[in-house]
Amino acid sequence: LISNVGGNYTMVENNNNGFIFDFSKGPDACADYIMSLQNSPDKYSQLCLSSYHRYLTTYNWQATGKKIKQLLHALQNNPN
């Protein structure tokens, strides 16, 4: 769960690996989403799996290091 304020919301694909709620709608938007997950265990499980997959492929040190290495090689091969 994350609000649409600040930069962290770019990490979330809405309803795929999290939920971006509109900060201006207040806490009810967030509470409603939590309740919908509580009433749908399958949806919650899928959200958890998608979040974990996103972590494994994107948001960890190994993936970040790989991306940095690719960028450095690209700069080395084409310094302009």
Side-chain angles (χ1 to χ4, degrees):
L1 295 171
I2 196 160
S3 73
N4 60 349
V5 176
N8 288 333
Y9 70 91
T10 60
M11 298 172 60
V12 173
E13 294 175 20
N14 209 25
N15 290 313
N16 181 36
N17 69 330
F19 178 69
I20 304 169
F21 66 95
D22 186 347
F23 190 78
S24 67
K25 292 185 179 180
D28 287 344
C30 186
D32 290 344
Y33 187 73
I34 292 170
M35 292 302 295
S36 75
L37 291 177
Q38 185 177 14
N39 294 327
S40 180
D42 290 341
K43 184 177 177 181
Y44 177 71
S45 292
Q46 184 58 43
L47 182 70
C48 290
L49 290 173
S50 296
S51 298
Y52 184 63
H53 181 263
R54 180 85 178 220
Y55 157 75
L56 288 176
T57 60
T58 307
Y59 296 113
N60 64 67
W61 284 113
Q62 185 175 359
T64 301
K66 185 177 178 180
K67 287 178 189 175
I68 290 171
K69 184 177 177 182
Q70 290 171 345
L71 289 170
L72 291 174
H73 281 297
L75 285 173
Q76 184 180 26
N77 294 333
N78 187 9
N80 296 328

